[in-house]
Amino acid sequence: MDWNLQTAEDLAAALRAGEVSSAELTDEAIDRIERDDKAINAICVRDFERARAAARDADQARARGEDRPLLGIPVTVKESYDMAGLPTTWGMPQFRDYVPDEDAVQVSRLKAAGAVILGKTNVPLGLQDIQSFNEIYGTTSNPWDHDRTSGGSSGGSAAALALGFGALSIGSDLAGSLRTPAHFCGIYAHKPTLGLTATRGMIAPPGPAWPVEIDLAVAGPMARSARDLMLLLDVMAGPDPLTLGKAYDVTLPPARHERLSDFRVLVVDEHPLIPTGSAVRAGVNRVADALADGGARVDRRTPLLPDLAEAATIYMQLLFSGSVARFPVDAYEELQARAAALSPDDQGLAAAQLRAMVLSHRDWLETNNRREIHRHGWRQFFAEYDAVVCPITPTPAFPHDHNPNPLERRLDIDGAAYPYFDQLAWAGVPTMPGLPATAIPTGRTANGLPVGVQLIGPMFEDRTPLRLAELLERDLGGFQPPRLDYTIV
């Protein structure tokens, strides 16, 4: 039996039943990576020797009667997580030789749960792109079309999962970095509520790996099924033991509903600041139809939905205000001059991004206060609804575009060109207020590219969008692997 594309839940059951050993699963996964990754370049750092040793340890532990959530299951880790003995570069050439001596807290949790870590997955330079390519490790391609991106910044993890390189992966999300690669590669991902998962050790080299709270950013699970997301989130959730973990444990509330017919869902497929491509709109409508067929209450509009245009502007201000903190003085002064030259009438996303790069602390505090107003609006919204269905990005995976100046790149939406980073508007809908969001595949386009949507839920009620994802997986067909009929070169 080919175990590589089975879910983690099924692998755990097979391991408990003695149908397969962790050593066998690990060898099969390694064989698959060595055979198929030449065409995709998803696994940028291999750790096969230690993986085989961990698999043997897992089999011995099981023989002693032990059972842990991920005991013996092969997984991968995004390159940006510190892992003792392996490089953590974030794709930055100046740190190609940086090797931390301590595991990130999430890597430690994977190991404590018994996972077998096969290696690390590729990322963009500094994690600051919607593609995954860098000078050190090269380009990760989309498993469905090698001329297109797998997404970023967790693009290596998404491609690895689509191809069966491990059953699970951990990524991170600041600007859709979990959800966009899942959407592009046809897999599942979950952006947890802000603050639910500790991020220590997921820090740009050379560190140090302090237990700091990073605004907007989260660590989260990626998988080939919705149920596997919950399995991995249960391992990842909880505060850092060096800080809040000294006083608090996490107990997530149960999903609001167990049956599809009990869910109250708002479906949104239009954004005021960027159009939605026809392929993505079709995916949203497939989900809306599945919800309606299952008896859920489905609405298309409500005055309770916070203003998406204002939300996108706030998100861009929060996101881009931190992106230039370490810029040289002359580069920062150039940004100030460009921002000052903007017309006051220019209220587009590109203008918001530029203004945000030179935001004063006073203005940042005002922006943060506006965020709190939106959070209150979402609390009122979720008193009436259980979830929002909306796009992750406006298009399926786009062709590789390595223009060194991202501001010169353009995104093609049904034949019209838009600024490259405007596509982040949908990712920011849950990110700005810190809401949980689950990315699920909804099918494929006419030319075979995956399309997904995100299911946004109430803050710290992560099990609600995850349960909805599980119910929809049954009706939408779930994960489908790409055909491996290409020639390996």
Side-chain angles (χ1 to χ4, degrees):
M1 180 177 182
D2 183 356
W3 297 99
N4 286 295
L5 292 174
Q6 301 298 309
T7 67
E9 184 179 46
D10 288 343
L11 293 182
L15 286 164
R16 293 186 184 104
E19 297 173 11
V20 68
S21 68
S22 178
E24 291 171 326
L25 294 179
T26 301
D27 282 340
E28 282 195 22
I30 290 171
D31 289 346
R32 194 176 183 93
I33 293 169
E34 291 178 332
R35 185 190 71 203
D36 295 336
D37 197 35
K38 296 173 186 176
I40 300 299
N41 190 35
I43 310 296
C44 61
V45 181
R46 299 180 178 186
D47 199 24
F48 294 164
E49 184 176 341
R50 291 199 297 184
R52 287 190 168 107
R56 291 192 295 270
D57 290 345
D59 288 334
Q60 292 169 4
R62 194 170 294 280
R64 294 193 299 268
E66 294 184 28
D67 190 15
R68 285 171 269 160
L70 305 179
L71 185 59
I73 296 175
V75 306
T76 59
V77 170
K78 187 176 182 178
E79 199 270 357
S80 52
Y81 284 92
D82 284 350
M83 190 169 170
L86 296 182
T88 297
T89 70
W90 287 43
M92 296 187 284
Q94 66 268 37
F95 297 114
R96 66 171 68 242
D97 297 321
Y98 175 71
V99 178
D101 56 10
E102 183 179 356
D103 289 340
V105 64
Q106 294 300 342
V107 172
S108 297
R109 287 176 178 175
L110 281 179
K111 290 180 177 180
V116 174
I117 302 176
L118 299 166
K120 304 179 80 176
T121 58
N122 202 18
V123 296
L125 175 67
L127 309 193
Q128 293 187 328
D129 204 344
I130 308 165
Q131 306 170 76
S132 292
F133 69 94
N134 60 77
E135 181 181 317
I136 302 173
Y137 300 123
T139 300
T140 298
S141 296
N142 192 296
W144 297 87
D145 182 341
H146 302 174
D147 293 328
R148 296 175 184 266
T149 182
S150 62
S153 61
S154 306
S157 289
L161 284 166
L163 289 172
F165 303 164
L168 303 166
S169 193
I170 58 171
S172 60
D173 196 311
L174 175 72
S177 290
L178 284 159
R179 293 161 286 156
T180 299
H183 160 55
F184 286 173
C185 294
I187 58 115
Y188 292 80
H190 181 70
K191 185 200 86 65
T193 297
L194 182 65
L196 179 61
T197 55
T199 57
R200 176 166 48 91
M202 220 293 293
I203 185 72
W210 302 124
V212 297
E213 299 294 329
I214 307 172
D215 192 27
L216 302 175
V218 297
M222 307 179 79
R224 287 190 295 270
S225 80
R227 287 176 64 87
D228 278 0
L229 289 178
M230 195 67 250
L231 174 68
L232 184 50
L233 182 63
D234 282 342
V235 170
M236 300 179 71
D240 194 307
L242 298 184
T243 54
L244 297 178
K246 291 183 177 294
Y248 303 114
D249 292 322
V250 165
T251 303
L252 289 174
R256 290 187 173 187
H257 311 292
E258 289 298 316
R259 299 183 305 173
L260 198 59
S261 59
D262 293 330
F263 276 87
R264 304 162 298 170
V265 182
L266 178 70
V267 175
V268 182
D269 62 2
E270 294 182 357
H271 196 286
L273 299 182
I274 190 168
T276 303
S278 56
V280 170
R281 190 186 302 275
V284 174
N285 287 331
R286 279 194 291 273
V287 175
D289 290 343
L291 288 166
D293 291 345
R297 170 186 156 189
V298 180
D299 292 341
R300 289 283 187 163
R301 57 186 55 84
T302 174
L304 291 172
L305 181 68
D307 185 304
L308 294 184
E310 183 183 41
T313 300
I314 295 171
Y315 172 61
M316 295 299 178
Q317 289 173 327
L318 295 170
L319 177 65
F320 281 85
S321 63
S323 67
V324 298
R326 297 182 182 179
F327 270 32
V329 172
D330 56 344
Y332 187 75
E333 290 175 344
E334 180 182 346
L335 289 172
Q336 287 179 311
R338 289 175 56 195
L342 288 171
S343 167
D345 295 331
D346 189 346
Q347 297 299 313
L349 287 177
Q353 294 159 11
L354 181 56
R355 292 187 181 105
M357 292 180 189
V358 294
L359 207 63
S360 70
H361 185 55
R362 176 188 176 91
D363 289 340
W364 186 93
L365 289 172
E366 174 57 28
T367 299
N368 189 51
N369 183 61
R370 289 162 60 207
R371 168 167 52 181
E372 291 303 327
I373 295 172
H374 273 254
R375 281 177 172 156
H376 182 65
W378 280 110
R379 285 191 286 270
Q380 293 175 310
F381 173 90
F382 283 117
E384 179 69 24
Y385 291 92
D386 303 308
V388 175
V389 174
C390 67
I392 297 167
T393 71
T395 69
F398 53 84
H400 297 296
D401 183 351
H402 295 177
N403 186 326
N405 183 358
L407 298 180
E408 295 178 354
R409 300 177 192 165
R410 291 295 179 266
L411 180 72
D412 184 308
I413 305 177
D414 289 347
Y418 292 85
Y420 181 72
F421 284 119
D422 282 13
Q423 65 186 294
L424 299 181
W426 282 115
V429 173
T431 300
M432 184 272 286
L435 302 172
T438 306
I440 66 169
T442 66
R444 286 179 283 168
T445 65
N447 60 345
L449 294 174
V451 173
V453 301
Q454 57 183 336
L455 313 175
I456 303 172
M459 184 171 285
F460 288 109
E461 294 189 51
D462 294 60
R463 293 186 191 275
T464 292
L466 285 165
R467 176 57 179 164
L468 183 57
E470 182 184 346
L471 294 168
L472 287 168
E473 179 179 8
R474 174 196 63 196
D475 296 334
L476 295 171
F479 167 76
Q480 298 293 323
R483 292 179 60 190
L484 298 179
D485 55 1
Y486 46 78
T487 301
I488 302 297
V489 294

